């Protein structure tokens, strides 16, 4: 690192430390002049960007097509505080469009996801757009979605494992991101919406960064959801869960299933007892394991089976037993 970079890093660190509640209020006033969030659009970017995407691989249904489990959980949490939510699952839609296309010549990757996102923004008219990203391999895809959304003059934020694992790298490379949510977003995002709407005090904000482009306010308060807060059935009705596995792979055992088997994911607990050096689960979910109630998990399994015809499940638990 050069002396110039060291001075810049030190300046940013100083700015992180020196802020007041008025600074936070002023930031929210600038970003949300009407101080109102009633509708939120949640976006799941494509796993890979256009240069990495292989048409033939997608045509053979070899790409992963996981439902955005974090977004359907977050959607339910937002609905509980009377926020209207729509989910734009770009990864599913790009695989679907590839499957329906006749040849690679009439398949324009970027045009497809951009048009789909534009349609959802135009029809839904969100007050806020939340974008997720799970893995570092999807960083470029996240960056392009953020660049596209930034031109819509609608406030947006980014959350998920990727930005939680290396926030400075993501915010340095994508400085147009105004809000970053870290780790589990259940109560973090609800408190954020409440703070914008002035129904929750600014002092309740935490696990997030407010980024003006020249300085960052890292709000350090912990907002880890407890066992009761995670005991929810996700808003599965907001995504095309019955067809997600139709266009891609969910889990390593999918090739052993009969053709046409509808597959979904489910999560019964969060966290892990282990502390492996190569894994980010503990950094994201904290120490120990928090479990949902058996009733809630069984109700979700029955909902997916009876309503959407799902007959195979992949457990997302890092420490199932």
């Amino acid at each position: 690192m050069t002396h110039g970079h060291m001075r810049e890093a030190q300046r940013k660190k100083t700015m992180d430390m020196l802020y007041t509640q008025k600074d936070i209020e002023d930031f929210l006033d600038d970003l949300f002049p009407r101080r109102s969030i009633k509708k939120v659009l949640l976006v799941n970017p494509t796993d890979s960007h256009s240069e990495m995407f292989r048409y033939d691989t997608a045509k053979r249904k070899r790409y992963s097509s996981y439902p955005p489990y974090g977004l359907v959980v977050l959607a339910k949490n937002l609905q509980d505080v009377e926020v209207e939510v729509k989910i734009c699952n770009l990864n599913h839609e790009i695989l679907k469009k590839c499957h329906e296309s006749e040849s690679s010549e009439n398949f324009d990757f970027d045009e497809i996801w951009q048009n789909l996102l534009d349609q959802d923004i135009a029809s839904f008219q969100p007050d806020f757009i939340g974008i997720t990203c799970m893995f570092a391999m999807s960083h470029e895809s996240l960056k392009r979605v953020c660049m596209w959304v930034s031109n819509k003059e609608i406030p947006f934020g980014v959350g998920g494992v990727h930005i939680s694992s290396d926030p400075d790298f993501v915010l340095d490379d994508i400085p147009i991101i105004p809000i970053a949510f870290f780790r589990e977003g259940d109560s973090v995002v609800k408190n954020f919406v409440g703070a914008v709407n002035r129904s929750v005090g600014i002092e309740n904000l935490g696990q997030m960064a407010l980024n003006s482009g020249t300085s960052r306010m890292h709000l350090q308060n912990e907002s880890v959801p407890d066992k009761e807060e995670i005991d929810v059935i996700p808003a599965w009705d907001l995504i095309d869960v019955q067809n997600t596995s139709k266009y891609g792979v969910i889990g390593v055992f999918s090739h052993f299933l009969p053709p046409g088997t509808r597959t979904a994911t489910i999560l019964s607990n969060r966290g892990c007892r282990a502390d492996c050096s190569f894994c980010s689960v503990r950094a994201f979910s904290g120490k120990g394991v928090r479990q949902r109630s058996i009733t809630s998990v069984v109700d979700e399994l029955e909902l997916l089976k009876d309503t959407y015809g799902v007959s195979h499940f992949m457990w997302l638990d890092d420490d199932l037993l």
Side-chain angles (χ1 to χ4, degrees):
M1 178 181 288
T2 66
H3 291 296
H5 286 143
M6 290 176 67
R7 286 195 298 271
E8 176 64 13
Q10 183 61 41
R11 184 190 68 80
K12 286 183 177 179
K13 182 178 181 181
T14 301
M15 292 300 294
D16 287 345
M17 295 166 57
L18 303 177
Y19 64 85
T20 65
Q21 290 194 6
K22 185 180 184 303
D23 294 326
I24 300 174
E25 289 281 9
D26 290 343
F27 181 93
L28 296 180
D29 284 339
D30 289 340
L31 200 59
F32 301 91
R34 296 188 294 118
R35 289 300 289 265
S36 175
I37 296 179
K38 296 181 179 178
K39 300 167 73 173
V40 173
L41 176 66
L42 299 175
V43 181
N44 182 43
T46 56
D47 283 352
S48 62
H49 55 278
S50 54
E51 288 85 351
M52 287 184 61
F53 188 81
R54 296 293 177 264
Y55 181 86
D56 291 343
T57 302
K59 202 71 171 174
R60 297 197 309 273
K61 305 178 185 179
R62 299 291 292 179
Y63 278 129
S64 295
S65 182
Y66 289 89
Y69 198 90
L71 292 190
V72 288
V73 171
L74 186 58
K76 175 57 178 173
N77 285 315
L78 288 170
Q79 289 174 339
D80 287 344
V81 292
E82 299 182 347
V83 173
E84 188 178 352
V85 184
K86 183 178 180 64
I87 294 178
C88 179
N89 187 2
L90 292 176
N91 192 63
H92 167 64
E93 295 296 337
I94 205 78
L95 295 177
K96 178 181 178 182
K97 293 295 184 183
C98 178
H99 179 74
E100 294 173 347
S101 65
E102 295 181 358
S103 67
S104 59
E105 284 71 28
N106 59 13
F107 178 81
D108 189 319
F109 184 97
D110 287 324
E111 183 180 25
I112 289 171
W113 74 256
Q114 290 166 1
N115 286 341
L116 287 167
L117 186 52
D118 282 351
Q119 290 168 15
D120 279 351
I121 292 174
S123 62
F124 189 59
Q125 293 290 300
D127 302 306
F128 182 73
I129 298 174
I131 308 168
T132 189
C133 182
M134 177 71 78
F135 300 115
M137 72 174 195
S138 300
H139 175 81
E140 183 62 31
S141 178
L142 168 69
K143 184 176 183 178
R144 296 183 187 190
V145 170
C146 289
M147 295 290 290
W148 192 259
V149 168
S150 68
N151 295 319
K152 307 301 177 183
E153 298 184 353
I154 299 172
F156 73 96
V158 173
V161 175
H162 178 46
I163 196 168
S164 298
S165 299
D166 199 348
D168 287 330
F169 165 75
V170 176
L171 291 174
D172 285 344
D173 193 53
I174 318 176
I176 57 172
I177 297 175
I179 300 170
F181 302 102
F182 304 133
R183 307 197 298 280
E184 295 166 291
D186 308 64
S187 54
V188 174
V189 176
K190 285 194 295 185
N191 286 338
F192 165 72
V193 170
V196 172
N197 293 341
R198 292 197 169 96
S199 61
V200 172
I202 292 295
E203 67 276 5
N204 292 294
L205 293 179
Q207 284 181 212
M208 59 188 301
L210 308 180
N211 180 40
S212 68
T214 58
S215 64
R216 294 171 195 159
M217 292 183 281
H218 282 269
L219 313 186
Q220 304 290 355
N221 293 338
E222 293 290 322
S223 296
V224 179
D226 57 27
K227 291 176 65 174
E228 286 70 31
E229 288 179 292
I230 70 171
D231 201 19
V232 299
I233 296 178
W236 284 111
D237 58 307
L238 296 184
I239 68 169
D240 188 21
V241 64
Q242 60 266 47
N243 290 314
T244 306
S245 57
K246 184 177 180 180
Y247 307 110
V249 176
I250 299 178
V252 295
F253 297 106
S254 60
H255 302 296
F256 294 98
L257 302 175
T261 300
R262 290 182 179 176
T263 306
T265 53
I266 191 165
L267 183 70
S268 73
N269 66 44
R270 301 188 193 181
C272 182
R273 292 166 292 175
D275 189 17
C276 302
S277 60
F278 55 81
C279 181
S280 62
V281 168
R282 178 168 284 200
F284 189 84
S285 299
K287 295 180 180 180
V289 178
R290 286 157 292 146
Q291 297 176 308
R292 290 172 58 190
S293 69
I294 294 174
T295 300
S296 175
V297 176
V298 172
D299 286 347
E300 184 178 352
L301 290 167
E302 290 181 340
L303 170 71
L304 288 166
K305 178 180 180 295
D306 297 340
T307 305
Y308 303 106
V310 174
S311 59
H312 183 81
F313 297 90
M314 176 186 171
W315 293 93
L316 295 173
D317 299 44
D318 294 289
D319 194 351
L320 178 63
L321 302 178

